[in-house]
């Protein structure tokens, strides 16, 4: 078992705009080192299409072992059309899925917060999204993403059959539900658990196990169950009814994308993928922006680094026990938005357009 090294951060910029946005995170980590005497140790590695191009694999063993020993992994984004036709095991996304699975990062926290300054950027009416603050807790290492059997095989009539398997066990459900309940206690004390118990046995088990855990240990938290399709609809109808949503890997993938657009821009939303704490209180974790690699704007210096910077704020809070620093960084982002600075994706009339590095610099100047 590889030991986790305290305060060691692995940067995996990845593909597309990944290197640009993680570049700004690197500047911020250095700022904390120089100005707050924090001794973060930075390592870097290739993951995704860039690793495939150089090494023929989306992630090398060397980089994977580095990830195992770092307390924090900061990932940019992986993938792009260039690698679309590779066989499954070589696709850039495999790097991400391998890290999630092998590092046992079973709880994916995806906040959807509507910044007051950007209420108008949402496609929904301001009164629907203003003040929105949802936390989606997505199960990340189980379900149909990883279930066996899987594959594509020929069948008798000359056709082919594609197979994936959706499975969950009691412990896979309860450990992620526990994270959701614990988070709710620090927020508005409400959990909505989403599945398709009307059509899937694994969904029925999900519902029963979440309810049982609630009744045994979290009676003081308000719990409701919702079918995932209804949840998709309710997120558009009245998103402020939600506090914490806990759901499986696939529904979480879709519902979190949907929730993110309530806030106006994918460019602002961070995420954290957490493992279990060991007996020494150590935990593996990976932080990444919700947005993808956006190959269409890569290399132009116009990507929004805020989602990555806020992902680092989550790392400060959840992995590094530096709540004050996390607060300061989040406040610096707010201050910059209040000043009217905007990258292209969130630009509106009367605001000042800034490049990726200018946005990073502006946030750093607010930290001073
Ligand atoms: C996400 C992404 C990934 C997923 C892809 C890139 C494999 O959509 O993190 O939501 O499906 O989990
Ligand atoms: Mg997704």
């Amino acid at each position: 078992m590889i030991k986790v090294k305290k305060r060691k951060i692995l940067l995996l910029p990845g593909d597309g705009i990944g290197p640009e946005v993680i570049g700004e995170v690197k500047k911020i980590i250095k700022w904390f080192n120089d100005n707050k005497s924090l001794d973060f140790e930075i390592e870097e590695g290739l993951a995704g299409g860039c690793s495939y191009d150089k090494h023929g694999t989306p992630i090398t063993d060397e980089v994977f072992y580095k990830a195992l020993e770092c307390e924090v992994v900061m990932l940019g984004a992986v993938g792009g059309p260039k690698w679309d036709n590779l066989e499954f095991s070589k696709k850039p996304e495999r790097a991400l899925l391998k890290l999630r699975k092998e590092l046992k990062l079973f709880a994916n926290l995806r906040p959807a917060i509507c910044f007051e300054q950007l209420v108008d950027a949402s496609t929904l009416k301001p009164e629907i999204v203003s003040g929105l603050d949802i936390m989606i807790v997505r199960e990340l290492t189980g379900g149909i993403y990883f279930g066996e059997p899987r594959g594509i095989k020929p069948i008798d009539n000359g056709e082919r059959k594609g197979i994936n398997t959706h499975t969950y066990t009691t412990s896979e459900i309860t450990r992620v539900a526990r994270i959701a309940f614990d988070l709710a206690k620090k927020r508005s004390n409400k959990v909505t658990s989403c599945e398709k118990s009307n059509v899937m046995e694994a969904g029925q088990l999900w519902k029963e196990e979440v309810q049982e855990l609630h009744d045994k240990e979290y009676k003081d938290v308000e719990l409701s169950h919702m079918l995932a399709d209804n949840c998709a609809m309710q997120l558009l109808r009245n998103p402020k009814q939600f506090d914490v949503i806990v759901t499986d890997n696939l529904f979480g993938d879709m519902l979190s994308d949907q929730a993110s657009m309530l806030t106006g821009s994918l460019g602002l939303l961070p995420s954290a993928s957490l493992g279990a704490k060991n007996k020494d209180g150590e935990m593996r974790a990976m932080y990444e922006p919700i947005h993808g690699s956006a190959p269409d704007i890569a290399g132009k210096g116009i990507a929004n680094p805020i989602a990555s910077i806020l992902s680092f704020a989550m790392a400060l809070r959840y992995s590094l026990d530096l709540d004050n620093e996390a607060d300061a960084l989040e406040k610096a982002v707010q201050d910059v938005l209040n000043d009217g600075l905007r990258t292209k994706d969130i630009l509106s009339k009367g605001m000042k357009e800034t490049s990726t590095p200018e946005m990073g610099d502006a946030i750093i100047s607010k930290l001073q």
Side-chain angles (χ1 to χ4, degrees):
M1 190 70 188
I2 296 183
K3 281 281 292 171
V4 179
K5 290 202 182 125
K6 283 273 176 208
R7 304 235 181 285
K8 208 166 163 184
I9 301 176
L10 174 63
L11 303 180
L12 298 176
D15 307 317
I17 58 171
E20 292 162 72
V21 293
I22 292 296
E24 299 311 303
V25 171
K26 193 171 168 180
K27 285 191 334 206
I28 286 177
I29 298 174
K30 286 195 168 140
W31 184 88
F32 276 109
N33 275 350
D34 295 344
N35 295 276
K36 297 277 165 194
S37 322
L38 294 174
D39 49 351
F40 296 130
E41 195 185 322
I42 306 178
E43 293 239 28
E44 268 181 77
L46 295 179
C50 56
S51 170
Y52 174 79
D53 287 348
K54 183 142 186 232
H55 302 292
T57 171
I59 183 164
T60 59
D61 288 345
E62 193 196 339
V63 172
F64 177 69
Y65 285 120
K66 266 190 198 167
L68 270 178
E69 66 168 32
C70 286
E71 190 173 18
V72 167
V73 177
M74 296 290 317
L75 186 101
V78 296
K82 185 176 170 196
W83 303 285
D84 272 355
N85 296 323
L86 290 176
E87 64 170 274
F88 235 75
S89 66
K90 305 245 190 277
K91 281 188 192 294
E93 290 78 6
R94 284 331 286 178
L96 185 56
L97 295 169
K98 177 172 176 171
L99 287 166
R100 289 175 180 172
K101 185 73 178 171
E102 308 280 327
L103 267 50
K104 302 190 172 64
L105 308 176
F106 63 86
N108 184 213
L109 279 44
R110 300 192 160 189
I113 295 170
C114 184
F115 289 67
E116 228 32 62
Q117 305 90 334
L118 297 172
V119 166
D120 292 325
S122 174
T123 47
L124 272 78
K125 296 195 191 94
E127 65 267 28
I128 302 286
V129 294
S130 163
L132 182 79
D133 180 359
I134 303 178
M135 177 68 91
I136 296 190
V137 180
R138 166 187 176 191
E139 200 291 326
L140 203 59
T141 52
I144 202 153
Y145 270 58
F146 297 99
E148 298 281 349
R150 65 185 299 156
I152 300 177
K153 64 173 192 189
I155 50 176
D156 290 348
N157 63 0
E159 291 185 33
R160 296 184 302 155
K161 190 177 191 173
I163 305 158
N164 290 93
T165 306
H166 179 65
T167 67
Y168 272 106
T169 61
T170 298
S171 58
E172 283 178 317
I173 297 166
T174 48
R175 66 183 179 181
V176 71
R178 194 179 290 284
I179 302 265
F181 285 126
D182 286 336
L183 279 168
K185 281 182 158 181
K186 294 186 203 148
R187 299 168 44 98
S188 302
N189 212 37
K190 233 165 79 176
V191 171
T192 308
S193 169
C194 295
E195 26 57 20
K196 283 285 286 176
S197 55
N198 54 346
V199 284
M200 289 153 73
E201 284 79 357
Q204 187 183 329
L205 183 76
W206 182 282
K207 182 175 176 182
E208 289 171 7
E209 296 294 357
V210 173
Q211 185 68 49
E212 192 173 326
L213 177 68
H214 169 269
D215 297 348
K216 273 195 196 138
E217 295 179 39
Y218 293 96
K219 266 204 149 56
D220 45 336
V221 180
E222 190 187 323
L223 169 67
S224 56
H225 303 277
M226 196 179 269
L227 297 175
D229 53 343
N230 184 26
C231 180
M233 187 271 276
Q234 295 294 341
L235 272 172
L236 293 182
R237 196 184 70 84
N238 175 19
K240 282 187 264 182
Q241 71 183 284
F242 297 108
D243 177 25
V244 176
I245 295 175
V246 61
T247 190
D248 74 25
N249 205 343
L250 183 61
F251 294 142
D253 181 41
M254 303 180 60
L255 293 173
S256 63
D257 259 33
Q258 193 184 330
S260 71
M261 256 339 265
L262 301 172
T263 71
S265 172
L266 273 176
L268 296 178
L269 297 178
S271 79
S273 304
L274 311 178
K277 285 207 166 91
N278 69 16
K279 58 180 186 326
D280 301 322
E282 296 166 343
M283 174 183 81
R284 294 208 160 81
M286 178 160 73
Y287 298 84
E288 55 184 303
I290 296 232
H291 62 68
S293 60
D296 51 321
I297 60 162
K300 296 188 180 159
I302 58 171
N304 189 345
I306 291 182
S308 290
I309 290 170
L310 291 177
S311 297
F312 183 62
M314 287 186 95
L316 290 168
R317 194 180 303 287
Y318 291 106
S319 284
L320 304 162
D321 287 323
L322 293 167
D323 280 356
N324 292 339
E325 284 73 5
D327 289 344
L329 186 52
E330 283 165 359
K331 175 156 188 315
V333 169
Q334 292 289 345
D335 289 347
V336 165
L337 292 174
N338 284 333
D339 285 353
L341 264 50
R342 302 281 188 273
T343 42
K344 208 180 178 70
D345 56 313
I346 51 172
L347 189 63
S348 59
K349 238 174 106 197
M351 301 293 145
K352 185 165 173 279
E353 183 169 348
T354 49
S355 67
T356 311
E358 279 166 356
M359 182 57 99
D361 291 343
I363 291 169
I364 288 175
S365 73
K366 293 291 180 188
L367 282 170
Q368 311 278 5

